[in-house]
Amino acid sequence: MAWAPEARTAAVRGADGTTLEVLRALESGPRGLVEEEAEERLVRHGENTFPGRRPDSWPRRFARSPRDPFTAVLLVLGLVSAAVAAWGTACVIAVLVLVSCVLRTTGEHRADRSAAALRDLLATTATVRRRATAASPPLPRELPVDQLVPGDVVLLAPGDVVPADLRLLRTTALTVHEATLTGESAPVEKYVDADGPGDGGSPALPLGHPHLCFQGSSVVSGSGSGVVVATGAHTVLSGALPRAGGRPRQPSPFDRSVNGIAWTLIRFTLLTAPLVLIVSALLRGRGLETLPFAVAVAVGLTPEMLPVVVTTALARGAALLARDGEVIVRRLPALHDLGAVDVLCVDKTGTLTEDRPVLALCEGPDGRADPEVLHWAAVNALWTLHLSELPVPDALDEAILDAAEHAAGEGAPDGDHFEAFEEFEGVDALPCGPGRRLSTAVVRPPGDPRFALAARHTLVVKGAPEDVLDRCTRAAGAELGTDGRERLTRRAGELAAEGLRVLAVARATCPARTRPYTPADERDLDFVGFVALSDAPAPTAAEALAVLARHGVDVKVLTGDHPGTAARVCRELGLAPGEVVTGERIDALADAELARLAARTTVFARCAPEHKARVVRALRAAGHTTGFLGDGVNDLAATAAADVGICPRDGVDVVREAADVVLASKDLTALDRAIVAGRRSTGNIAAYLRIALSSNVGNVIAMLVAGLLLPFLPMLPAQVLVQNLCFDAAQLALAFDRPAPGAHLRPALLRPRALLRFVTGFGLLNAVADLATFGVLALALRSMGQEEGQSAFHAGWFTENLLTQALVMLLLRSARHAAEGGRVPGPIRLATAALAVVGLLLPLSPLGPPLSMTPLPPLYYGLLALVLVVYGLLLAVARRPVRRIT
């Protein structure tokens, strides 16, 4: 992890030197600070607040919203229209830009407000030891976390969240959960080391020091006190935040797709207006009076509703996910990127597993399953928990007791063993502790006399295989020689290599006594066997992995755990692990080699944060759209490197800030639903692009041809804008379309090249329909005068355009099933019906004359119906072999 320099400096300052030296450097002591000094330090150091990104205000977002290419082009066209006094065109463009900006700003602002409500990781108060005056006694006080300053003495108890970076002054069996920082699920023992850095510590990476506690971690058991060495932006937690000047975020798949489409069309749009002017000037002798028409044609070609439709489709999908309380999409384009994801990288702990152990096997010295081993392990676990008075029960002991009770309830063979383990009477217990990897329970067998001279006690020992075997002299009653001990040690190694947590169980019987038992009594043991535990798979993980596979998403596991552990969990969930790649091997590979390896590898184990980020970047470089699900600071680099960063709600605050999507829990089922929602939104956006661009390109081609053939403008600027306004309003219904069956079974990504091929083909087909309409109009209007014929021509083409666009919306709205009679959603039926009604009735209404349109003869409608039928058949036939654009 690349710590910020100030965070590393503060943490190392707290790690170096003795406790006394640290206190002197901070000008503090075990009695805490004086209130007056604490107030001065608060002014000097600032509040102990998390340096998160402050969400932009609504006005600031609105001011930045016209940043997409289409909106910028519309603004330019609007200014040109105003400059030539084409106020109708300028007003329509202003309305389109305003609607687009408001929708985009509102969607993003609402998503940020939803995500801000999830900032609940850090503690709100802390117990601090302070003095009113230098002569006053120290008193514990509850203070808001933001009031802590370097030098404060903080008291820790079970369940507390560490409010700042601390150098420990006193500990009592203190264990801390640092998963948010390291990704390791097991609690870490913390203790005071007066001689300086402890085992595993290094100046470069302060997390290895056992006498430091870090902001964001939580106390599992025990108690302690510590002096604050870093607050605010100088903590290790805050130092992991990406800084200005770091690696810039690469454009997302949404940005690349939309910008690729946008700039191609913008070049065409900017070429169209001058082309119309040149053609009109050279062939018809028209001058600048054609400029409003040329601008209207350019506006007609531009998919000006793209920002509106995109924002509406994505915001609707995000709102549906947020309404269920499962997923918050913080960046709307991330919903499209979720739909495009074909590789999902996840951590193991808490995502594929429940972060709790379960019994995997119990076997005797001969390697066969033996329920007696579980019986004695349960005796040890029960009385160790009862007699040691641990603040938090050991998860392994609880798993063993659950397994024993389950075996007794199931009536397993030799079930009497399990029914009897609770009948022992506890005498004494020697629990695990720092430097001690085994526990011993001293029990009195049921029915054994308590005070008789023949009374006996049984020592039941359970712990690390090496430590237990070193104390064993027998196995199953037979002598255990060096060969036997080596054989059992190898067997323990084999089980560990399979990803199991292995514990050895042994016992010994001795005469009862009243003096306390000590570790010296753990000798001459009889080896009973091994119990092995594994991580409990998450209940929905196997089903979710299968569903993701059916949806075309390849899941890769990136974990800091043992390779065998990760591989075993994957096998249990039906995910073939293949060859497991470790962090050491990643270090030895160049980026190109890693990209090839990552494409065919499922499990990466022993991964440091930078290893995870390199794997994600390698997958992206290989052309995959990659998502990463992580919740700890060790996942921050990979989260930022992914196309879509995903974090559960209970993840560390900095990761939630960097994530694009926040989940209610680490449930892949919810994530799969989000991926499906993203693909549906992308399908609706693609439908809009198909329809809008095909119609627009066809109309522009027809207008250019008509400009060459006709002695008058084929359509007046006002008519072009009214037509565009009607069509644009109808296309908003596409945000509510239902994609084709099976469309969610594959990644959905807008493909500019495929889209342009589609638009070219169907644009030409649309132009053919328009040219056929010219012929129909020439036939139907041949008896009219010149002025009346021009108005009728404008009305006829206006009507044909709206009717063909309604037909296109029905047949090209989604995938192949639309052309095959798929059910049309209500909003689209209503929009297309309204479009057809406007096209037929507007020339006949009182609004027709102001728009220079007159009623048409009945012959035209009959011939137009024939053109529409033929056009619809050609669309349906041509639609079948066309490759998808998503």
Side-chain angles (χ1 to χ4, degrees):
M1 185 183 302
W3 306 108
E6 60 269 25
R8 182 171 59 246
T9 301
V12 172
R13 183 175 63 243
D16 286 345
T18 64
T19 303
L20 182 59
E21 290 171 345
V22 172
L23 289 173
R24 284 177 177 172
L26 292 169
E27 298 180 358
S28 182
R31 302 172 70 230
L33 296 174
V34 177
E35 290 288 355
E36 183 179 356
E37 172 64 18
E39 292 175 1
E40 292 178 359
R41 295 191 183 195
L42 184 62
V43 173
R44 185 164 69 248
H45 294 280
E47 292 186 347
N48 179 35
T49 55
F50 180 75
R53 176 182 62 84
R54 177 174 295 178
D56 290 332
S57 64
W58 199 95
R60 183 182 293 272
R61 288 184 182 277
F62 182 81
R64 291 209 319 263
S65 58
R67 61 188 181 272
D68 68 273
F70 284 125
T71 306
V73 169
L74 283 177
L75 285 173
V76 172
L77 293 175
L79 293 175
V80 172
S81 300
V84 298
W87 300 113
T89 304
C91 290
V92 171
I93 292 174
V95 169
L96 292 174
V97 171
L98 181 63
V99 171
S100 171
C101 293
V102 168
L103 282 176
R104 170 176 293 183
T105 303
T106 302
E108 292 182 354
H109 185 66
R110 189 173 297 162
D112 248 6
R113 288 178 57 191
S114 300
L118 302 177
R119 300 170 60 91
D120 57 359
L121 174 75
L122 298 182
T124 56
T125 62
T127 304
V128 181
R129 187 181 293 156
R130 281 187 181 177
R131 295 171 289 159
T133 65
S136 301
L139 296 174
R141 292 184 51 192
E142 281 292 314
L143 285 181
V145 166
D146 58 11
Q147 301 299 303
L148 292 184
V149 296
D152 265 328
V153 175
V154 177
L155 307 182
L156 300 176
D160 286 350
V161 176
V162 179
D165 288 355
L166 309 177
R167 170 67 185 259
L168 293 173
L169 305 177
R170 177 193 60 80
T171 62
T172 302
L174 181 65
T175 60
V176 175
H177 201 283
E178 293 183 338
T180 54
L181 293 162
T182 65
E184 295 293 337
S185 58
V188 179
E189 294 177 3
K190 297 290 183 178
Y191 51 88
V192 178
D193 184 358
D195 296 328
D199 295 339
S202 71
L205 188 61
L207 291 179
H209 295 284
H211 52 279
L212 294 179
C213 282
F214 301 97
Q215 182 187 42
S217 54
S218 57
V219 178
V220 177
S221 63
S223 61
S225 64
V227 60
V228 175
V229 297
T231 60
H234 301 294
T235 63
V236 168
L237 180 64
S238 300
L241 209 80
R243 302 287 169 157
R247 182 190 298 269
R249 184 175 184 125
Q250 298 298 314
S252 70
F254 177 83
D255 296 331
R256 294 193 299 268
S257 298
V258 172
N259 287 342
I261 295 168
W263 286 111
T264 301
L265 294 174
I266 285 170
R267 295 185 187 100
F268 192 27
T269 300
L270 297 179
L271 178 65
T272 301
L275 186 61
V276 171
L277 289 173
I278 293 171
V279 169
S280 298
L282 293 179
L283 299 181
R284 295 298 175 184
R286 304 186 187 109
L288 290 178
E289 67 270 15
T290 316
L291 182 59
F293 175 72
V295 172
V297 171
V299 173
L301 179 63
T302 305
E304 58 270 7
M305 292 300 288
L306 179 61
V308 179
V309 172
V310 166
T311 303
T312 303
L314 295 179
R316 180 172 180 266
L320 291 175
L321 293 171
R323 186 175 62 189
D324 297 333
E326 294 182 339
V327 181
I328 297 294
V329 180
R330 298 186 64 246
R331 183 177 62 87
L332 284 182
L335 189 60
H336 164 275
D337 298 341
L338 266 180
V341 163
D342 59 348
V343 174
L344 176 64
C345 299
V346 300
D347 194 9
K348 176 186 70 66
T349 305
T351 303
L352 302 181
T353 64
E354 288 189 320
D355 200 12
R356 69 177 180 86
V358 293
L359 184 73
L361 61 87
C362 51
E363 65 179 38
D366 58 357
R368 298 179 181 178
D370 187 352
E372 185 178 5
V373 182
L374 179 57
H375 161 73
W376 288 111
V379 171
N380 171 280
L382 176 67
W383 290 107
T384 299
L385 291 173
H386 280 202
L387 298 178
S388 299
E389 299 182 355
L390 298 174
V392 177
D394 183 86
L396 298 179
D397 286 341
E398 289 193 318
I400 290 172
L401 291 175
D402 288 343
E405 292 172 358
H406 178 74
E410 292 292 326
D414 296 326
D416 292 341
H417 284 299
F418 305 111
E419 295 172 2
F421 81 88
E422 293 181 338
E423 298 178 8
F424 284 83
E425 181 181 351
V427 176
D428 199 358
L430 303 174
C432 297
R436 175 178 164 81
R437 301 192 300 165
L438 51 79
S439 65
T440 296
V442 182
V443 298
R444 180 181 294 109
D448 197 53
R450 179 175 299 191
F451 301 109
L453 293 176
R456 311 284 287 177
H457 287 169
T458 301
L459 281 74
V460 185
V461 182
K462 170 173 60 64
E466 299 86 352
D467 294 7
V468 173
L469 287 171
D470 285 344
R471 293 164 171 78
C472 291
T473 57
R474 296 177 305 281
E479 289 296 322
L480 179 65
T482 302
D483 293 343
R485 187 175 287 106
E486 291 178 352
R487 177 180 58 81
L488 293 173
T489 301
R490 286 195 301 271
R491 177 55 181 163
E494 293 171 357
L495 294 175
E498 295 177 8
L500 298 173
R501 178 73 179 271
V502 184
L503 298 174
V505 182
R507 61 177 176 166
T509 302
C510 64
R513 58 184 179 227
T514 56
R515 70 170 178 82
Y517 285 84
T518 67
D521 297 312
E522 299 166 338
R523 54 186 175 83
D524 295 330
L525 304 178
D526 189 353
F527 180 76
V528 177
F530 294 118
V531 291
L533 301 102
S534 62
D535 290 338
T540 61
E543 177 187 357
L545 289 175
V547 173
L548 286 169
R550 289 198 297 270
H551 289 173
V553 179
D554 187 14
V555 176
K556 297 185 182 295
V557 180
L558 279 61
T559 178
D561 283 347
H562 187 280
T565 303
R568 182 183 184 88
V569 168
C570 290
R571 284 193 294 269
E572 290 178 351
L573 295 174
L575 185 65
E579 179 188 4
V580 179
V581 175
T582 62
E584 291 182 359
R585 186 173 176 187
I586 293 174
D587 288 333
L589 296 174
D591 290 343
E593 295 172 323
L594 179 59
R596 291 191 292 270
L597 178 65
R600 62 177 186 270
T601 301
T602 300
V603 180
F604 297 85
R606 296 296 192 201
C607 287
E610 183 56 29
H611 295 142
K612 296 181 180 181
R614 278 199 68 198
V615 171
V616 171
R617 288 196 293 268
L619 290 167
R620 291 188 67 186
H624 296 284
T625 303
T626 306
F628 183 86
L629 172 59
D631 64 346
V633 173
N634 63 315
D635 297 321
L636 185 59
T639 301
D643 290 304
V644 186
I646 309 161
C647 179
R649 181 175 57 188
D650 56 358
V652 69
D653 213 8
V654 286
V655 184
R656 288 208 309 268
E657 278 291 326
D660 304 306
V661 177
V662 178
L663 303 180
S665 62
K666 276 188 167 183
D667 187 355
L668 292 181
T669 304
L671 183 56
D672 176 73
R673 286 192 285 271
I675 289 174
V676 171
R679 293 178 180 180
R680 289 175 175 168
S681 298
T682 301
N684 292 343
I685 295 170
Y688 164 76
L689 288 171
R690 277 194 300 266
I691 294 167
L693 297 181
S694 298
S695 297
N696 292 352
V697 169
N699 286 340
V700 168
I701 294 173
M703 285 182 182
L704 291 175
V705 173
L708 297 176
L709 300 177
L710 299 175
F712 53 85
L713 291 177
M715 192 175 288
L716 299 180
Q719 296 166 354
V720 174
L721 292 174
V722 170
Q723 172 190 283
N724 289 341
L725 190 61
C726 294
F727 191 32
D728 292 336
Q731 287 177 102
L732 283 175
L734 294 172
F736 302 89
D737 192 14
R738 287 189 297 269
H744 63 282
L745 298 179
R746 58 177 182 262
L749 180 67
L750 295 175
R751 307 175 194 276
R753 292 185 179 180
L755 176 63
L756 293 177
R757 288 195 298 269
F758 184 99
V759 168
T760 301
F762 283 87
L764 291 174
L765 186 59
N766 183 271
V768 169
D770 286 343
L771 295 176
T773 304
F774 294 166
V776 168
L777 286 169
L779 181 63
L781 307 178
R782 64 181 183 275
S783 60
M784 291 185 176
Q786 181 177 355
E787 184 174 349
E788 186 183 7
Q790 289 184 19
S791 298
F793 185 94
H794 292 155
W797 198 16
F798 180 89
T799 298
E800 183 266 349
N801 270 332
L802 290 189
L803 291 177
T804 55
Q805 287 171 346
L807 192 60
V808 167
M809 282 187 65
L810 289 175
L811 296 181
L812 300 186
R813 62 182 176 84
S814 61
R816 184 179 300 175
H817 83 297
E820 296 173 353
R823 185 182 176 188
V824 181
I828 293 181
R829 289 200 302 270
L830 181 62
T832 53
L835 201 60
V837 169
V838 170
L840 290 170
L841 298 184
L842 185 62
L844 306 176
S845 71
L847 295 176
L851 291 173
S852 300
M853 291 189 290
T854 60
L856 293 157
L859 175 63
Y860 168 73
Y861 293 103
L863 295 175
L864 178 61
L866 180 61
V867 171
L868 291 176
V869 169
V870 175
Y871 179 56
L873 292 175
L874 291 176
L875 280 178
V877 172
R879 180 66 184 89
R880 295 175 179 270
V882 175
R883 294 176 58 188
R884 62 190 179 95
I885 67 170
T886 59

